[in-house]
PDB file of all heavy atoms in Angstrom:
ATOM      1  N   ILE A 174     -10.040-129.970  86.224  1.00 98.00           N
ATOM      2  CA  ILE A 174     -10.143-128.508  86.223  1.00 98.00           C
ATOM      3  C   ILE A 174      -9.459-127.920  87.447  1.00 98.00           C
ATOM      4  O   ILE A 174      -8.933-126.805  87.402  1.00 98.00           O
ATOM      5  CB  ILE A 174     -11.623-128.084  86.144  1.00 98.00           C
ATOM      6  CG1 ILE A 174     -12.225-128.532  84.804  1.00 98.00           C
ATOM      7  CG2 ILE A 174     -11.785-126.580  86.293  1.00 98.00           C
ATOM      8  CD1 ILE A 174     -13.736-128.416  84.729  1.00 98.00           C
ATOM      9  N   GLY A 175      -9.459-128.659  88.532  1.00 98.00           N
ATOM     10  CA  GLY A 175      -8.775-128.193  89.735  1.00 98.00           C
ATOM     11  C   GLY A 175      -9.666-127.486  90.725  1.00 98.00           C
ATOM     12  O   GLY A 175      -9.320-126.414  91.247  1.00 98.00           O
ATOM     13  N   TYR A 176     -10.827-128.084  91.026  1.00 98.00           N
ATOM     14  CA  TYR A 176     -11.689-127.530  92.070  1.00 98.00           C
ATOM     15  C   TYR A 176     -11.006-127.661  93.425  1.00 98.00           C
ATOM     16  O   TYR A 176     -10.302-128.642  93.693  1.00 98.00           O
ATOM     17  CB  TYR A 176     -13.039-128.253  92.100  1.00 98.00           C
ATOM     18  CG  TYR A 176     -14.055-127.674  91.142  1.00 98.00           C
ATOM     19  CD1 TYR A 176     -13.988-127.947  89.775  1.00 98.00           C
ATOM     20  CD2 TYR A 176     -15.073-126.839  91.586  1.00 98.00           C
ATOM     21  CE1 TYR A 176     -14.914-127.421  88.889  1.00 98.00           C
ATOM     22  CE2 TYR A 176     -16.005-126.300  90.710  1.00 98.00           C
ATOM     23  CZ  TYR A 176     -15.918-126.593  89.366  1.00 98.00           C
ATOM     24  OH  TYR A 176     -16.841-126.054  88.487  1.00 98.00           O
ATOM     25  N   ASP A 177     -11.237-126.683  94.275  1.00 98.00           N
ATOM     26  CA  ASP A 177     -10.670-126.696  95.622  1.00 98.00           C
ATOM     27  C   ASP A 177     -11.630-127.260  96.657  1.00 98.00           C
ATOM     28  O   ASP A 177     -11.198-127.890  97.629  1.00 98.00           O
ATOM     29  CB  ASP A 177     -10.268-125.277  96.030  1.00 98.00           C
ATOM     30  CG  ASP A 177      -9.103-124.766  95.205  1.00 98.00           C
ATOM     31  OD1 ASP A 177      -8.018-125.349  95.307  1.00 98.00           O
ATOM     32  OD2 ASP A 177      -9.286-123.785  94.447  1.00 98.00           O
ATOM     33  N   ALA A 178     -12.926-127.045  96.496  1.00 98.00           N
ATOM     34  CA  ALA A 178     -13.923-127.528  97.449  1.00 98.00           C
ATOM     35  C   ALA A 178     -15.296-127.410  96.810  1.00 98.00           C
ATOM     36  O   ALA A 178     -15.509-126.597  95.910  1.00 98.00           O
ATOM     37  CB  ALA A 178     -13.879-126.735  98.753  1.00 98.00           C
ATOM     38  N   ALA A 179     -16.245-128.220  97.302  1.00 98.00           N
ATOM     39  CA  ALA A 179     -17.621-128.164  96.811  1.00 98.00           C
ATOM     40  C   ALA A 179     -18.569-128.470  97.955  1.00 98.00           C
ATOM     41  O   ALA A 179     -18.314-129.372  98.760  1.00 98.00           O
ATOM     42  CB  ALA A 179     -17.841-129.154  95.668  1.00 98.00           C
ATOM     43  N   ALA A 180     -19.658-127.726  98.039  1.00 98.00           N
ATOM     44  CA  ALA A 180     -20.703-128.029  99.016  1.00 98.00           C
ATOM     45  C   ALA A 180     -21.567-129.167  98.482  1.00 98.00           C
ATOM     46  O   ALA A 180     -21.664-129.399  97.273  1.00 98.00           O
ATOM     47  CB  ALA A 180     -21.556-126.792  99.271  1.00 98.00           C
ATOM     48  N   LEU A 181     -22.191-129.865  99.400  1.00 98.00           N
ATOM     49  CA  LEU A 181     -23.143-130.907  99.030  1.00 98.00           C
ATOM     50  C   LEU A 181     -24.467-130.275  98.616  1.00 98.00           C
ATOM     51  O   LEU A 181     -24.955-129.346  99.261  1.00 98.00           O
ATOM     52  CB  LEU A 181     -23.402-131.830 100.215  1.00 98.00           C
ATOM     53  CG  LEU A 181     -22.247-132.705 100.684  1.00 98.00           C
ATOM     54  CD1 LEU A 181     -22.543-133.228 102.090  1.00 98.00           C
ATOM     55  CD2 LEU A 181     -22.028-133.856  99.724  1.00 98.00           C
ATOM     56  N   GLY A 182     -25.073-130.784  97.550  1.00 98.00           N
ATOM     57  CA  GLY A 182     -26.425-130.393  97.178  1.00 98.00           C
ATOM     58  C   GLY A 182     -27.405-131.467  97.591  1.00 98.00           C
ATOM     59  O   GLY A 182     -27.015-132.591  97.929  1.00 98.00           O
ATOM     60  N   ASN A 183     -28.690-131.151  97.570  1.00 95.00           N
ATOM     61  CA  ASN A 183     -29.677-132.168  97.933  1.00 95.00           C
ATOM     62  C   ASN A 183     -29.708-133.326  96.942  1.00 95.00           C
ATOM     63  O   ASN A 183     -29.909-134.486  97.318  1.00 95.00           O
ATOM     64  CB  ASN A 183     -31.074-131.552  98.071  1.00 95.00           C
ATOM     65  CG  ASN A 183     -31.526-130.769  96.866  1.00 95.00           C
ATOM     66  OD1 ASN A 183     -31.061-129.645  96.652  1.00 95.00           O
ATOM     67  ND2 ASN A 183     -32.431-131.317  96.063  1.00 95.00           N
ATOM     68  N   HIS A 184     -29.449-133.042  95.657  1.00 95.00           N
ATOM     69  CA  HIS A 184     -29.504-134.122  94.668  1.00 95.00           C
ATOM     70  C   HIS A 184     -28.307-135.065  94.759  1.00 95.00           C
ATOM     71  O   HIS A 184     -28.314-136.118  94.119  1.00 95.00           O
ATOM     72  CB  HIS A 184     -29.622-133.536  93.253  1.00 95.00           C
ATOM     73  CG  HIS A 184     -30.999-133.061  92.931  1.00 95.00           C
ATOM     74  ND1 HIS A 184     -32.049-133.921  92.701  1.00 95.00           N
ATOM     75  CD2 HIS A 184     -31.511-131.807  92.811  1.00 95.00           C
ATOM     76  CE1 HIS A 184     -33.139-133.220  92.438  1.00 95.00           C
ATOM     77  NE2 HIS A 184     -32.841-131.941  92.516  1.00 95.00           N
ATOM     78  N   GLU A 185     -27.303-134.718  95.548  1.00 97.00           N
ATOM     79  CA  GLU A 185     -26.199-135.648  95.781  1.00 97.00           C
ATOM     80  C   GLU A 185     -26.685-136.923  96.465  1.00 97.00           C
ATOM     81  O   GLU A 185     -26.040-137.966  96.393  1.00 97.00           O
ATOM     82  CB  GLU A 185     -25.125-134.976  96.660  1.00 97.00           C
ATOM     83  CG  GLU A 185     -23.934-134.467  95.906  1.00 97.00           C
ATOM     84  CD  GLU A 185     -24.240-133.304  94.989  1.00 97.00           C
ATOM     85  OE1 GLU A 185     -24.274-132.152  95.449  1.00 97.00           O
ATOM     86  OE2 GLU A 185     -24.454-133.556  93.783  1.00 97.00           O
ATOM     87  N   PHE A 186     -27.840-136.845  97.144  1.00 96.00           N
ATOM     88  CA  PHE A 186     -28.340-137.973  97.924  1.00 96.00           C
ATOM     89  C   PHE A 186     -29.351-138.818  97.154  1.00 96.00           C
ATOM     90  O   PHE A 186     -29.850-139.815  97.683  1.00 96.00           O
ATOM     91  CB  PHE A 186     -28.969-137.457  99.219  1.00 96.00           C
ATOM     92  CG  PHE A 186     -27.973-136.834 100.161  1.00 96.00           C
ATOM     93  CD1 PHE A 186     -27.591-135.503 100.010  1.00 96.00           C
ATOM     94  CD2 PHE A 186     -27.397-137.582 101.172  1.00 96.00           C
ATOM     95  CE1 PHE A 186     -26.666-134.928 100.870  1.00 96.00           C
ATOM     96  CE2 PHE A 186     -26.469-137.011 102.033  1.00 96.00           C
ATOM     97  CZ  PHE A 186     -26.095-135.680 101.883  1.00 96.00           C
ATOM     98  N   ASN A 187     -29.660-138.442  95.903  1.00 92.00           N
ATOM     99  CA  ASN A 187     -30.699-139.140  95.143  1.00 92.00           C
ATOM    100  C   ASN A 187     -30.412-140.611  94.910  1.00 92.00           C
ATOM    101  O   ASN A 187     -31.327-141.435  94.869  1.00 92.00           O
ATOM    102  CB  ASN A 187     -30.902-138.469  93.781  1.00 92.00           C
ATOM    103  CG  ASN A 187     -31.658-137.163  93.849  1.00 92.00           C
ATOM    104  OD1 ASN A 187     -31.782-136.465  92.860  1.00 92.00           O
ATOM    105  ND2 ASN A 187     -32.171-136.798  95.010  1.00 92.00           N
ATOM    106  N   TYR A 188     -29.142-140.948  94.733  1.00 93.00           N
ATOM    107  CA  TYR A 188     -28.785-142.329  94.403  1.00 93.00           C
ATOM    108  C   TYR A 188     -28.372-143.134  95.631  1.00 93.00           C
ATOM    109  O   TYR A 188     -27.901-144.256  95.505  1.00 93.00           O
ATOM    110  CB  TYR A 188     -27.648-142.344  93.386  1.00 93.00           C
ATOM    111  CG  TYR A 188     -28.003-141.682  92.074  1.00 93.00           C
ATOM    112  CD1 TYR A 188     -27.324-140.553  91.635  1.00 93.00           C
ATOM    113  CD2 TYR A 188     -29.019-142.196  91.272  1.00 93.00           C
ATOM    114  CE1 TYR A 188     -27.646-139.952  90.426  1.00 93.00           C
ATOM    115  CE2 TYR A 188     -29.347-141.596  90.068  1.00 93.00           C
ATOM    116  CZ  TYR A 188     -28.659-140.477  89.650  1.00 93.00           C
ATOM    117  OH  TYR A 188     -28.984-139.878  88.455  1.00 93.00           O
ATOM    118  N   GLY A 189     -28.540-142.565  96.806  1.00 95.00           N
ATOM    119  CA  GLY A 189     -28.180-143.256  98.030  1.00 95.00           C
ATOM    120  C   GLY A 189     -26.798-142.854  98.526  1.00 95.00           C
ATOM    121  O   GLY A 189     -25.955-142.360  97.775  1.00 95.00           O
ATOM    122  N   ILE A 190     -26.574-143.087  99.801  1.00 97.00           N
ATOM    123  CA  ILE A 190     -25.315-142.688 100.417  1.00 97.00           C
ATOM    124  C   ILE A 190     -24.113-143.448  99.868  1.00 97.00           C
ATOM    125  O   ILE A 190     -23.035-142.850  99.706  1.00 97.00           O
ATOM    126  CB  ILE A 190     -25.430-142.820 101.955  1.00 97.00           C
ATOM    127  CG1 ILE A 190     -26.417-141.769 102.472  1.00 97.00           C
ATOM    128  CG2 ILE A 190     -24.074-142.639 102.630  1.00 97.00           C
ATOM    129  CD1 ILE A 190     -26.732-141.879 103.948  1.00 97.00           C
ATOM    130  N   PRO A 191     -24.213-144.763  99.549  1.00 97.00           N
ATOM    131  CA  PRO A 191     -23.034-145.447  98.992  1.00 97.00           C
ATOM    132  C   PRO A 191     -22.504-144.799  97.718  1.00 97.00           C
ATOM    133  O   PRO A 191     -21.287-144.687  97.538  1.00 97.00           O
ATOM    134  CB  PRO A 191     -23.545-146.870  98.743  1.00 97.00           C
ATOM    135  CG  PRO A 191     -24.618-147.066  99.760  1.00 97.00           C
ATOM    136  CD  PRO A 191     -25.299-145.733  99.857  1.00 97.00           C
ATOM    137  N   VAL A 192     -23.387-144.376  96.809  1.00 97.00           N
ATOM    138  CA  VAL A 192     -22.936-143.710  95.585  1.00 97.00           C
ATOM    139  C   VAL A 192     -22.266-142.386  95.932  1.00 97.00           C
ATOM    140  O   VAL A 192     -21.209-142.036  95.382  1.00 97.00           O
ATOM    141  CB  VAL A 192     -24.111-143.497  94.606  1.00 97.00           C
ATOM    142  CG1 VAL A 192     -23.695-142.585  93.449  1.00 97.00           C
ATOM    143  CG2 VAL A 192     -24.590-144.838  94.055  1.00 97.00           C
ATOM    144  N   LEU A 193     -22.867-141.644  96.848  1.00 98.00           N
ATOM    145  CA  LEU A 193     -22.288-140.362  97.254  1.00 98.00           C
ATOM    146  C   LEU A 193     -20.917-140.557  97.890  1.00 98.00           C
ATOM    147  O   LEU A 193     -19.975-139.806  97.603  1.00 98.00           O
ATOM    148  CB  LEU A 193     -23.229-139.643  98.219  1.00 98.00           C
ATOM    149  CG  LEU A 193     -22.717-138.338  98.840  1.00 98.00           C
ATOM    150  CD1 LEU A 193     -22.245-137.363  97.779  1.00 98.00           C
ATOM    151  CD2 LEU A 193     -23.790-137.714  99.715  1.00 98.00           C
ATOM    152  N   ARG A 194     -20.782-141.558  98.754  1.00 98.00           N
ATOM    153  CA  ARG A 194     -19.492-141.810  99.394  1.00 98.00           C
ATOM    154  C   ARG A 194     -18.425-142.211  98.372  1.00 98.00           C
ATOM    155  O   ARG A 194     -17.266-141.805  98.480  1.00 98.00           O
ATOM    156  CB  ARG A 194     -19.639-142.896 100.454  1.00 98.00           C
ATOM    157  CG  ARG A 194     -20.353-142.451 101.723  1.00 98.00           C
ATOM    158  CD  ARG A 194     -19.605-141.338 102.427  1.00 98.00           C
ATOM    159  NE  ARG A 194     -20.179-141.033 103.745  1.00 98.00           N
ATOM    160  CZ  ARG A 194     -19.865-139.984 104.455  1.00 98.00           C
ATOM    161  NH1 ARG A 194     -19.005-139.082 103.994  1.00 98.00           N
ATOM    162  NH2 ARG A 194     -20.410-139.779 105.643  1.00 98.00           N
ATOM    163  N   LYS A 195     -18.833-142.980  97.387  1.00 98.00           N
ATOM    164  CA  LYS A 195     -17.868-143.369  96.351  1.00 98.00           C
ATOM    165  C   LYS A 195     -17.449-142.155  95.541  1.00 98.00           C
ATOM    166  O   LYS A 195     -16.255-141.992  95.206  1.00 98.00           O
ATOM    167  CB  LYS A 195     -18.470-144.435  95.436  1.00 98.00           C
ATOM    168  CG  LYS A 195     -17.467-145.049  94.457  1.00 98.00           C
ATOM    169  CD  LYS A 195     -16.367-145.803  95.197  1.00 98.00           C
ATOM    170  CE  LYS A 195     -15.394-146.457  94.234  1.00 98.00           C
ATOM    171  NZ  LYS A 195     -14.329-147.206  94.955  1.00 98.00           N
ATOM    172  N   PHE A 196     -18.410-141.298  95.207  1.00 98.00           N
ATOM    173  CA  PHE A 196     -18.085-140.063  94.497  1.00 98.00           C
ATOM    174  C   PHE A 196     -17.135-139.215  95.333  1.00 98.00           C
ATOM    175  O   PHE A 196     -16.146-138.670  94.813  1.00 98.00           O
ATOM    176  CB  PHE A 196     -19.363-139.289  94.178  1.00 98.00           C
ATOM    177  CG  PHE A 196     -19.134-137.943  93.551  1.00 98.00           C
ATOM    178  CD1 PHE A 196     -18.649-137.844  92.252  1.00 98.00           C
ATOM    179  CD2 PHE A 196     -19.397-136.778  94.258  1.00 98.00           C
ATOM    180  CE1 PHE A 196     -18.433-136.603  91.668  1.00 98.00           C
ATOM    181  CE2 PHE A 196     -19.184-135.533  93.688  1.00 98.00           C
ATOM    182  CZ  PHE A 196     -18.699-135.443  92.387  1.00 98.00           C
ATOM    183  N   GLU A 197     -17.420-139.096  96.623  1.00 98.00           N
ATOM    184  CA  GLU A 197     -16.556-138.334  97.522  1.00 98.00           C
ATOM    185  C   GLU A 197     -15.127-138.890  97.501  1.00 98.00           C
ATOM    186  O   GLU A 197     -14.153-138.126  97.452  1.00 98.00           O
ATOM    187  CB  GLU A 197     -17.112-138.383  98.945  1.00 98.00           C
ATOM    188  CG  GLU A 197     -16.258-137.644  99.964  1.00 98.00           C
ATOM    189  CD  GLU A 197     -16.711-137.884 101.385  1.00 98.00           C
ATOM    190  OE1 GLU A 197     -17.311-138.945 101.655  1.00 98.00           O
ATOM    191  OE2 GLU A 197     -16.464-137.012 102.251  1.00 98.00           O
TER     192      GLU A 197
END
Side-chain angles (χ1 to χ4, degrees):
I174 295 168
Y176 273 77
D177 292 296
L181 293 163
N183 54 285
H184 283 288
E185 259 67 83
F186 293 84
N187 285 173
Y188 298 117
I190 292 174
V192 170
L193 175 53
R194 286 298 188 192
K195 189 64 178 181
F196 175 70
E197 179 189 27

